[in-house]
Amino acid sequence: MTKKPIALITGAAQGIGFACAKALSDDGYDVILSDINAGGVAAAAKELGGAAIVCDMGDRAQIEAMFAQIAAEHGPLSALVNNAGVAMPGDFLSYDFDTFQKVIDINLHGVFIATQLAARDMVEHGIAGAIVNMSSVNAQVAIPAIPAYCASKGGVMQLTKVAALALAKNNIRVNAVGPGSIDTEMMAGVNANPEAFKMAMSRTPLGRAGDASEIGDVVAFLCSKKASYITGETIYVDGGRLGLNYTC
């Protein structure tokens, strides 16, 4: 019996991360779901028939321990989805440096550490793997209330390009997905405010929020052989937002 490829998805207890795990599971991967939310990730993994690991992606020691556990209990990864992330909004002039650092630690440093560890494992085992990082439209545009988030997602976009170039010789593809307004917990505040939601949709040509499954489907595509000649790219799943200039 052929062993299924293994995929690790971080921040997978809910929302986009869970949707990515489900899409990869549907595509035939054995999925490992990671999240800081112990109860949430255990329930999510049980629903998909996968494994759960509790990990704070802002803590290097925990990330290293997670990869050691995966190697010991499951074997080498064929796919990694770096999805875990936080926004932590605040006023720019009073934005706390420790908050800024925490967002960067989770959203950027964690992505680098996990990418490096996964890639080393793939190279050691001769696996032509796929790594997908979760960026954002805010890698290209900006919102003043989320300075650290915007900076981190711009960093993820560039890190994706660097890793793709560095790992191409090993047949490891590295891409990113940049969501726009997706109906998840992170957008709950906007959804609850009719004026804020109207403003967000005014910047979204398709006129609706995206569903998490629409991100999961693109991630699964990038991990599949159908995307075998795509690396170093960020695919924006944003309902047309980045193409919008102005309308009359």
Side-chain angles (χ1 to χ4, degrees), residues 19-20 22-25 27 29 81 132 173 177 215-227:
C20 292
K22 184 178 186 307
L24 288 170
S25 177
D27 270 6
Y29 282 86
V81 180
V132 180
R173 297 180 300 103
V177 173
I215 305 299
D217 287 343
V218 176
V219 169
F221 163 71
L222 289 172
C223 290
S224 76
K225 292 181 179 179
K226 293 180 180 179

Side-chain angles (χ1 to χ4, degrees), residues 179-190:
S181 297
I182 308 300
D183 189 10
T184 64
E185 288 294 318
M186 193 174 283
M187 197 182 167
V190 174

Side-chain angles (χ1 to χ4, degrees), residues 11-226:
Q14 62 185 7
I16 289 174
F18 178 78
C20 292
K22 184 178 186 307
L24 288 170
S25 177
D26 290 346
D27 270 6
Y29 282 86
D30 276 335
V31 291
I32 302 170
L33 287 71
S34 164
D35 204 285
I36 197 171
N37 177 352
V41 75
K46 183 178 180 180
E47 182 175 341
L48 297 180
I53 298 179
V54 178
C55 182
D56 179 354
M57 291 302 293
D59 185 324
R60 179 179 179 178
Q62 288 192 39
I63 299 170
E64 291 174 340
M66 174 174 65
F67 274 86
Q69 180 181 344
I70 290 170
E73 297 179 2
H74 302 280
L77 297 175
S78 291
L80 166 67
V81 180
N82 282 308
N83 170 73
V86 294
M88 297 188 173
D91 178 73
F92 184 84
L93 291 177
S94 59
Y95 204 84
D96 179 69
F97 177 76
D98 288 341
T99 301
F100 193 96
Q101 185 67 59
K102 182 174 182 179
V103 174
I104 296 296
D105 282 345
I106 296 169
N107 293 11
L108 184 57
H109 295 165
V111 171
F112 168 71
I113 295 165
T115 297
Q116 188 180 63
L117 291 173
R120 286 174 179 170
D121 201 36
M122 290 173 183
V123 170
E124 180 182 346
H125 291 89
I127 294 173
I131 297 171
V132 180
N133 301 322
M134 202 57 63
S135 185
S136 167
V137 291
N138 292 296
Q140 297 277 2
V141 294
I143 298 173
I146 47 173
Y149 183 83
C150 293
S152 70
K153 294 305 183 179
V156 167
M157 178 182 67
Q158 285 296 91
L159 179 60
T160 296
K161 293 178 182 179
V162 170
L165 296 174
L167 299 172
K169 65 180 180 294
N170 303 109
N171 292 315
I172 298 170
R173 297 180 300 103
V174 187
N175 291 289
V177 173
S181 297
I182 308 300
D183 189 10
T184 64
E185 288 294 318
M186 193 174 283
M187 197 182 167
V190 174
N191 290 343
N193 183 328
E195 286 303 311
F197 184 77
K198 182 179 178 181
M199 175 63 74
M201 292 306 98
S202 76
R203 305 301 302 166
T204 305
L206 286 183
R208 65 172 177 85
D211 189 81
S213 65
E214 294 175 297
I215 305 299
D217 287 343
V218 176
V219 169
F221 163 71
L222 289 172
C223 290
S224 76
K225 292 181 179 179
K226 293 180 180 179

Side-chain angles (χ1 to χ4, degrees), residues 1-6 25 28-30 78:
M1 184 175 179
T2 304
K3 189 176 185 297
K4 290 183 179 181
I6 300 169
S25 177
Y29 282 86
D30 276 335
S78 291

